[in-house]
Amino acid sequence: MFRNQYDTDVTTWSPAGRLFQVEYAMEAVKQGSAAIGLRSKTHVVLASVNKANSELSSHQKKIFKVDDHIGVAIAGLTADGRVLSRYMRSECINYSYSYESKLPVGRLVVQLADKAQVCTQRSWKRPYGVGLLVGGLDESGAHLYYNCPSGNYFEYQAFAMGSRSQAAKTYMERKFETFTESSRENLIKDALFALRETLQGEKLTSSICTVAVVGVDESFHILDKETVQALINEFEIAGEEAPANEAAPQDQGGDAQGGDAQAGAADQGPTDQGVAPMDI
C-alpha cells in the first residue's frame, strides 16, 4: 500500500470504492502477534504469542478476561485492544446489573462491531487498529467470533489472526471437523500445535505464549505458565517432531506450506517492511 490522495481521511472513498484508512487498520492486525481461537461444543480455547520487545522488558498482555463467561484475544495495536476490552467489561456489568443475567456473547459482539463501525464514518476519528477474537459460553452454547476494524464480525469454528497466521489457519483447516467433539485437553493441544506453526521453527515455550480456557462449569481463566509448559511437554510440542498420531497431517505440511507461500504472502509482506512504531 502506498500513500495517495484518497487516504488522508477515513470518510473519503477512492474511485475503486475503497476506504484506505480502514484497510490500513486491518493491515495493523496482520502485523500484530499471532492469536488463535478454537471452540468445541463445550469449550473455547484462546491462545496468543506474547514476545517481549526486549530482554529487559516484560511482554504486553494479549488475552483479557471480560466476564466469567467471556474472554478476548487481540492482535494489532495493544492500546486499542485494552480500551475495547474495558468497554466490553462495562457492557457486561451493566447488563448483569439491569437484568441479573449474563450478557449473551452474540449481543456483546454486535455492540462491539457497532462501536468499531462508528469510527469508519466520522472524519475526526480513526478506526481501531486491532482485531479481536471473542470467545464465550452462553445458553446457546460455545461461541467464537472475530471482530474486524472495519466493523464486520464473523463467527468461526476456529480462527487465527496476526503475523504468520496463515500457517496456523492451514493446520486448523485440516483438523477443524474434529474440533466440535474435541475434549478440553485435545482442544488445548490443537491450539498449541496451531500456535507453534506461526513461530517458523522457533521452539514453543510457556514464556512466549498465553493460553486461556472457558467452558461448561469452567469460568474463563488464563492458564499459568507451569500448566502450559507441562502441556507442551506432555504433547511433545517442544520437540522437532509431532506425536505419532499427528504424523500423517504433518506429512502433508509440504503441500500446505507451498500454498502458504502464496496465501501468506500478504500476511508476511508488511512484516518484512518493518512493523509500525507502536507495540503490536
Side-chain angles (χ1 to χ4, degrees):
M1 294 184 183
F2 299 96
R3 182 176 177 83
N4 58 68
Q5 58 183 322
Y6 300 108
D7 69 352
T8 57
D9 197 302
V10 71
T11 60
T12 301
W13 291 94
S14 75
R18 300 165 64 181
L19 291 172
F20 286 103
Q21 288 286 334
V22 176
E23 293 184 16
Y24 295 164
M26 296 168 68
E27 200 67 28
V29 177
K30 291 182 180 181
Q31 293 186 16
S33 300
I36 67 171
L38 304 88
R39 72 176 173 93
S40 65
K41 286 183 177 179
T42 58
H43 289 83
V44 179
V45 174
L46 300 176
S48 68
V49 176
N50 50 10
K51 295 181 182 178
N53 291 334
S54 167
E55 294 182 0
L56 301 178
S57 69
S58 62
H59 62 79
Q60 287 285 340
K61 194 174 181 181
K62 303 290 184 180
I63 297 181
F64 301 92
K65 178 179 179 179
V66 176
D67 202 349
D68 286 340
H69 67 300
I70 299 177
V72 59
I74 66 172
L77 190 58
T78 307
D80 286 1
R82 187 175 64 249
V83 169
L84 288 176
S85 65
R86 188 182 303 124
Y87 164 78
M88 295 168 70
R89 288 194 198 101
S90 177
E91 291 300 309
C92 286
I93 292 172
N94 292 337
Y95 187 93
S96 178
Y97 179 81
S98 300
Y99 302 102
E100 297 183 357
S101 62
K102 294 181 178 179
L103 177 61
V105 183
R107 182 175 299 186
L108 177 62
V109 168
V110 171
Q111 292 175 338
L112 184 63
D114 290 344
K115 185 177 179 66
Q117 191 277 336
V118 170
C119 295
T120 69
Q121 214 170 0
R122 300 289 188 271
S123 61
W124 60 90
K125 293 185 177 182
R126 66 160 176 83
Y128 290 105
V130 65
L132 298 100
L133 276 177
V134 183
L137 198 76
D138 55 26
E139 295 180 353
S140 60
H143 299 280
L144 177 67
Y145 291 92
Y146 169 60
N147 277 75
C148 182
S150 64
N152 290 324
Y153 65 93
F154 309 91
E155 185 168 12
Y156 285 92
Q157 184 71 42
F159 190 72
M161 60 181 180
S163 177
R164 295 182 292 277
S165 60
Q166 185 58 43
K169 290 179 183 177
T170 301
Y171 172 84
M172 293 188 291
E173 285 169 359
R174 294 201 305 264
K175 302 200 63 178
F176 79 95
E177 293 179 351
T178 66
F179 292 162
T180 302
E181 303 296 333
S182 288
S183 65
R184 176 184 183 273
E185 290 71 21
N186 287 337
L187 207 62
I188 295 175
K189 179 189 72 172
D190 285 319
L192 290 171
F193 267 109
L195 202 63
R196 187 188 67 170
E197 295 295 316
T198 68
L199 298 178
Q200 290 188 331
E202 184 180 347
K203 184 177 179 180
L204 177 64
T205 63
S206 60
S207 61
I208 62 172
C209 70
T210 303
V211 180
V213 184
V214 62
V216 176
D217 299 327
E218 183 177 9
S219 298
F220 182 89
H221 66 285
I222 297 175
L223 302 182
D224 57 65
K225 290 185 178 181
E226 291 76 14
T227 302
V228 174
Q229 188 61 51
L231 290 169
I232 292 175
N233 296 337
E234 178 183 351
F235 298 135
E236 300 180 7
I237 294 178
E240 291 297 326
E241 298 180 359
N245 59 349
E246 297 293 332
Q250 290 296 327
D251 289 341
Q252 301 171 3
D255 295 337
Q257 291 174 4
D260 289 346
Q262 296 178 355
D267 207 17
Q268 296 181 5
T271 306
D272 295 336
Q273 298 173 7
V275 297
M278 297 87 71
D279 182 16
I280 57 176

